[in-house]
Amino acid sequence: MAVFFIAFAVVVSNLFLGALAFSKNPKSATHRLFLLLTVILALWAVANSISVTVQSKEDIFFWVKAVMVITSAMFSTIYLLSATYPHNNFILPKKWVLLTVVITFVTQILVVSNQVFQRVDFANGIPAPVSGSGMVVFAANILGFFTLSIITLIKKYRQALGMEKTQLKYLLFGIITTFVLTNLTNFIFVNVLHLTEFVAIGPAFTLLLVGSISYAIIKHRFLDIRLVVARTVSFASLLGLLGILYALFFAYLSVIFSKASIEVRTVAVSTILALIMAFSFQYIRRILEKITDKFLYQNHYDPSKLLYDLALIMSSTLRLEDLTHQILQKLLKEMRITRGALILTEQGYIYQVASEGYSKIPELDEEKISSLMSPKQTIIMEELTETDARKELMRSLDLTVVEPLYSESHDIGLLVLGEKLSGDLYTPEDIRVLEILAPEVAVAIQNARSYEEIRRFNVILQGKVAQATSSLSIANDKLQELDKLKDDFVSVASHELRTPMTAIRSYAWMALHKSDIPLSDRLKKYLDRTITSTERLIKLVNDMLNISRIESGRVEILPEVFNIQTFVSDIFMEVGVRAKEKNLLLKIIYSTIPKVFADRDKVHQVLLNLIGNSIKFTPDAGIITVSFFSDGNSIETSIEDTGIGLDSGDLPSLFKKFSRLDNSYISSAASGGTGLGLYICKNLIELMGGKIWAKSDGIGKGAIFTFSLPVATNNILANSQNFIKKVNGGARMLEPVAI
Amino acid sequence: MDIQGNAGKKILIIEDDQFLREFYQELLQTEGFIVDTVADGDTASYRIHEGGYALIVLDIMLPKKDGLQVLRDNRANPPKSPNGPIVALTNLGQDAVIKQSFELGCAGYMIKSALNPDQVLTEINNYLQSAKK
C-alpha cells in the first residue's frame, strides 16, 4: 500500500512541476528537458511500484526491465538538462546530444535483450534479479552521466552569480542526494547486497530532487514559476490533508455502522478518490480562472505589435507629459499590469513623475533613485535576495519591476511597474520587451525634453519681445508726451516773450514817429535799430515756435491739387510793397506744367521765406525771377535773384539750424535774418515729399533756390493717404512769416 | 489821421498787459477816440454788457476769464445797449483759437506782434468803417 502512496505522490508532484514549467515557456529547451525528466521520474515511480507488487517471476522480470529501461534515460536527461540550463536553446554541440541519445538507446537495448538482468530468482521467497554482463554498460551510463552532470553544474555554479548560483546549488544538492540514495536502494543494495526490500522506497528519494527544485523555484524564481508553485503547494497541502482526514473519517464511520472490519483497500481507494477530488478541484479552478482571465482581459499580447504601437506613440508625440502618460497607458493595458510610473530625473533630481494606476505616486527620493538606477539593468523584486535593501524598498513602494532609462551620456529616469493584474509573474518575454523598450523610451523622452525646452524658450522669448516692445512703446509715449510738453512750454514762453517785445517795438515806434520834441539824427538811428532788433527778436520767436511744432510732429500736411504758377503770382502781390520799396523787378517765367499736389499753406510759407530772402539780399534795382520745370513726376520751382550770392563753402550748411554764413557780406543782424527760415523750408518741403537745394556762382553773382514738389498724377492721387500727415489732437498752425 | 471821421467814438480796449493797454489807450486817444480800458475777463464781460461801444478790442489770453469765454457770455447775455464789432487781439498764431473767436462773433483779429502802431490804427479805422455800412 505504502508503495502506491509513494508512487502517487512522486507522480503527482513530478508531473505537476514539469507541466507547470513547460507551460510557462514551452519553447525553452531547459523547460522541455525538465518536463522530460519529471515524466521519466514519474514513469519510474510507477514501474518501480508495480515491480515490487507483482508476484509471478515473469511479471517481476518484465517490470524490473521496464524500470531499467526508464532509468537508462534518467541520467542522460539529467546531463542534458544540466548542460542546457538555464538557456532556451541547446547549447551542446549536436554531436554530443546525438552521442548521449545513442548511449541511452544502447543501454536500453541491452536491458530489453536481457543482458543487464538475465532473470529473476527467488531467494528465501524474495525476488532477486540476476545481473548480466550488460550491467557494466548500465552502471557506466548512470555513473558517467551523473559525473558529467555534476561537473557541468559545478562549472556553471562557479561562474554563476546571484540568484542563478543559488538555484544551481539546490539543483546540485537535489541531483546528488537523489542519485546517492536511489543508487543505494535500487542498485547497490540489489546488485551487491542482493537486498530488494528497499527497492520500493527508491522513487521516494526523487522527491528530494523535486523538493529542492521546488525550493529553488519558490525561493529563487527557478524557471519562472514561483508564484504558481507557492500557491499550489499551500493549496494542495491543505486539500491533501483534508482528503486524508476525510478518508480516515470514512473508515471510522464504516467500522461503527457496518460493524464489520473495513478492508484496507476500501480506505485506500476512498482516500485516493478524495485526493483526486482535492487536486482536480485546484486544476479545474485554474482552468476556470484562465477562462475568466481571458474573458476579462486579453490574455496574451503580441510583443512585436506592442513594441510597434509604442514606437508609433513615441514618434508621434512630442509633448513630454502626453508621451509619458501614453506610453504607460499602452504598456499597462497590453501587459495587463496594475500600475506603473515613469520617474524622470535630471542629474539625479526628479523633475517629473507620470503615473498610472497608483493611488499614491511612489515616493522616491534622489537617494532611492540612484540605488535603483546604479546597476543599469532590469530589477525584478522576486530575484533580489532578502538581504538586499532594494527588495524592501521595492516592496514598500509596490514596485515589481524597475527598468532604468538612460542614454549614452546620462540617466533619464526609471520605469517602475507594479504586479500584473493576473497575479502572475513577469515572464521572460515581458522582461525582454521591457529591455527592448527602455532605450527607445529613453531617447523619446530626451527628444520630448529638447522639444519642451525649445518650446519653453520660445515662450520666454515671446514674452521678452512683448515686454521689450511694451517698454519701448511706453518710452515712445513718454517721449511724445515730453515733446508735447516742450512744445507747450515754447508756446507759452513765446507768448510771454512777445508781449513785452510788442511793447518795446510799439513805444520805440511812438518815440520815433510821434515824438513831441524834435529828434536828432543819431537818436532816430538808435530808435530805428531798436525797432529792427525787436522785430528780428519777434521773428526769431516765431521761427523757434514753428520749428518746435514741426519737430514735435504737430504740423499737419493736408495736400491739395493746385496751380503753383498762379500761386506764385498771388504771393508776388503780397510782397509787392516791399519789392517796390527796393525798386526790385519780380518776374515769373511761365511754362506748361502740370498741377502740384501739396499743402497750400506750407508752400505759401516756403515761397514767402525764399522770396523774402531774395528781396532782403538783392540790392536796389535787382531782378527776382521765378521759373518752373517738370519731368512729369515732380515740379521744380526756382527763385533766382541778382543778389549778393553765396560762397560755395556755405552751401552745405545752408539748410541747417542757426547756420551762420561766415562768408556773407551782410550780417544777419543787418538783414534781420534768424538763421532758421531755410531750415523750416527744408522741413516743410520734405514733409510734402519734395526736396530743396541752392546754387550760386559765388559771392556777388546771385543765388538760385529750387524746391521740388510731387505732381498730382493719378497714381499719387490714388495713394494720397501717403502724403497726408494728420496729427492726433493739438495740431498747430505755423506762425506767419514776416517779410 | 482821422480821415474817416471816426473821432469821438467810444472804443473799449481789453488787454491785461499794463504797458500795452496804456499804449493802445494813448495811441487811440491821440487820434481823438474815447477809450475805456479793462484788464481782466470779468470786468470785460460787465462793460460789454453795459454796451454803447463803437468797437471792442478784446485780448484772448486774459486773467480770471479768457477772451473766448467773454465772447460766449456776450452771446448768452446780450448787451443793454448795442455794441459795434468785436476784434480779437492776440499773440497766438493758432488758427483753432482764431477760428473759435470768429465762430463766437468776432469781426476780425489783430496779431499784436505783427503790427506797427500805424498799422494798428489803419486796422481799427477799417473795422469802424465796415461797421458803418
Side-chain angles (χ1 to χ4, degrees), chain A residues 564-572 575 585-591 593 603 606-608 610-612 614-615 623-629 635-642 703-707:
Chain A
I564 196 162
Q565 296 189 116
T566 45
F567 196 61
V568 170
S569 70
D570 288 347
I571 289 168
F572 272 1
V575 299
L585 178 63
L586 299 179
K587 232 167 71 179
I588 295 179
I589 302 173
Y590 289 96
S591 41
I593 51 157
V603 177
V606 171
L607 279 168
L608 268 187
L610 294 178
I611 295 169
S614 287
I615 291 171
I623 306 167
I624 295 168
T625 315
V626 180
S627 62
F628 306 93
F629 167 78
I635 291 167
E636 289 173 10
T637 305
S638 297
I639 296 101
E640 188 177 357
D641 62 48
T642 56
I704 309 172
F705 281 82
T706 309
F707 64 86

Side-chain angles (χ1 to χ4, degrees), chain A residues 94-106:
Chain A
K94 270 198 177 153
K95 273 189 273 179
W96 285 76
V97 177
L98 201 67
L99 192 66
T100 310
V101 173
V102 167
I103 290 170
T104 306
F105 200 56
V106 166

Side-chain angles (χ1 to χ4, degrees), chain A residues 520-538:
Chain A
S520 68
D521 283 349
R522 278 173 77 178
L523 195 53
K524 278 183 183 170
K525 185 184 153 196
Y526 297 158
L527 285 170
D528 189 53
R529 289 199 166 180
T530 306
I531 293 167
T532 309
S533 292
T534 313
E535 278 174 354
R536 193 173 151 225
L537 202 54
I538 290 169

Side-chain angles (χ1 to χ4, degrees), chain A residues 407-426:
Chain A
S407 71
E408 273 180 26
S409 49
H410 57 283
D411 295 349
I412 302 283
L414 293 172
L415 168 64
V416 298
L417 298 168
E419 59 186 12
K420 290 189 134 191
L421 282 169
S422 60
D424 281 348
L425 287 166
Y426 282 80

Side-chain angles (χ1 to χ4, degrees), chain A residues 491 495-496 498-500 502-503 505-507 509-510 514 531 535 538 542 549 731-736, chain B residues 1 15 17 19-20 22-24 26-27 31 61 91-95 111-118:
Chain A
S491 283
H495 175 79
E496 296 302 322
R498 278 188 299 188
T499 306
T502 308
R505 191 179 64 161
S506 299
Y507 282 108
W509 190 90
M510 289 291 267
K514 305 280 174 184
I531 293 167
E535 278 174 354
I538 290 169
N542 286 347
R549 285 167 190 174
R732 303 247 181 188
M733 122 192 221
L734 293 173
E735 295 296 323
Chain B
M1 208 57 201
E15 165 64 58
D17 186 86
F19 285 3
L20 275 183
E22 284 174 9
F23 161 71
Y24 289 123
E26 198 178 332
L27 181 70
E31 295 301 314
M61 281 181 87
N91 253 336
L92 300 171
Q94 283 169 296
D95 55 358
I111 295 175
K112 291 183 243 182
S113 59
L115 301 173
N116 275 325
D118 53 346

Side-chain angles (χ1 to χ4, degrees), chain A residues 5 31 301 378 414 440:
Chain A
F5 266 120
H31 288 231
Y301 63 94
T378 315
L414 293 172
E440 290 177 25

Side-chain angles (χ1 to χ4, degrees), chain B residues 60-118:
Chain B
I60 296 299
M61 281 181 87
L62 286 172
K64 295 188 184 172
K65 190 198 276 182
D66 74 10
L68 294 175
Q69 190 56 44
V70 172
L71 288 169
R72 273 183 217 109
D73 289 354
N74 179 44
R75 274 198 152 183
N77 191 10
K80 291 173 186 169
S81 51
N83 288 316
I86 301 176
V87 177
L89 187 66
T90 178
N91 253 336
L92 300 171
Q94 283 169 296
D95 55 358
V97 173
I98 290 164
K99 221 167 128 190
Q100 253 180 308
S101 56
F102 271 113
E103 281 163 8
L104 290 168
C106 269
Y109 69 96
M110 292 190 289
I111 295 175
K112 291 183 243 182
S113 59
L115 301 173
N116 275 325
D118 53 346

Side-chain angles (χ1 to χ4, degrees), chain A residues 388-643:
Chain A
D388 197 325
R390 291 178 298 172
K391 184 158 192 163
E392 192 43 48
L393 173 65
M394 286 175 74
R395 197 176 282 145
S396 68
L397 293 170
D398 260 342
L399 312 177
T400 307
V401 172
V402 172
E403 185 70 52
L405 306 172
Y406 51 90
S407 71
E408 273 180 26
S409 49
H410 57 283
D411 295 349
I412 302 283
L414 293 172
L415 168 64
V416 298
L417 298 168
E419 59 186 12
K420 290 189 134 191
L421 282 169
S422 60
D424 281 348
L425 287 166
Y426 282 80
T427 65
E429 190 168 59
D430 294 336
I431 302 299
R432 219 168 27 247
V433 166
L434 291 176
E435 279 168 355
I436 292 169
L437 192 62
E440 290 177 25
V441 171
V443 169
I445 286 171
Q446 223 173 6
N447 287 344
R449 282 206 70 195
S450 307
Y451 170 75
E452 204 89 329
E453 258 166 40
I454 291 167
R455 210 169 57 90
R456 249 176 239 159
F457 180 70
N458 264 342
V459 169
I460 290 168
L461 204 62
Q462 271 171 11
K464 287 227 162 122
V465 168
Q467 209 181 342
T469 311
S470 98
S471 51
L472 206 61
S473 114
I474 288 168
N476 196 35
D477 287 351
K478 247 187 193 160
L479 276 176
Q480 276 183 355
E481 210 171 306
L482 277 177
D483 238 354
K484 207 178 155 197
L485 281 174
K486 186 191 91 178
D487 184 55
D488 287 344
F489 172 77
V490 172
S491 283
V492 172
S494 52
H495 175 79
E496 296 302 322
L497 278 170
R498 278 188 299 188
T499 306
M501 283 190 297
T502 308
I504 293 167
R505 191 179 64 161
S506 299
Y507 282 108
W509 190 90
M510 289 291 267
L512 187 62
H513 294 97
K514 305 280 174 184
S515 170
D516 45 7
I517 52 158
L519 301 176
S520 68
D521 283 349
R522 278 173 77 178
L523 195 53
K524 278 183 183 170
K525 185 184 153 196
Y526 297 158
L527 285 170
D528 189 53
R529 289 199 166 180
T530 306
I531 293 167
T532 309
S533 292
T534 313
E535 278 174 354
R536 193 173 151 225
L537 202 54
I538 290 169
K539 266 193 255 171
L540 201 58
V541 168
N542 286 347
D543 282 351
M544 279 167 64
L545 202 50
N546 285 341
I547 286 170
S548 163
R549 285 167 190 174
I550 291 166
E551 286 181 347
S552 62
R554 294 174 81 176
V555 171
E556 282 185 331
I557 299 293
L558 303 168
E560 51 192 304
V561 182
F562 64 92
N563 185 337
I564 196 162
Q565 296 189 116
T566 45
F567 196 61
V568 170
S569 70
D570 288 347
I571 289 168
F572 272 1
M573 303 277 278
E574 273 184 63
V575 299
V577 183
R578 279 292 303 273
K580 223 178 219 169
E581 280 172 14
K582 289 183 82 175
N583 198 19
L584 298 175
L585 178 63
L586 299 179
K587 232 167 71 179
I588 295 179
I589 302 173
Y590 289 96
S591 41
T592 319
I593 51 157
K595 291 181 174 177
V596 292
F597 187 63
D599 184 313
R600 212 185 256 269
D601 287 344
K602 306 302 178 289
V603 177
H604 182 254
Q605 191 101 6
V606 171
L607 279 168
L608 268 187
N609 238 303
L610 294 178
I611 295 169
N613 277 346
S614 287
I615 291 171
K616 219 178 290 171
F617 294 112
T618 304
D620 286 4
I623 306 167
I624 295 168
T625 315
V626 180
S627 62
F628 306 93
F629 167 78
S630 176
D631 61 357
N633 289 321
S634 65
I635 291 167
E636 289 173 10
T637 305
S638 297
I639 296 101
E640 188 177 357
D641 62 48
T642 56

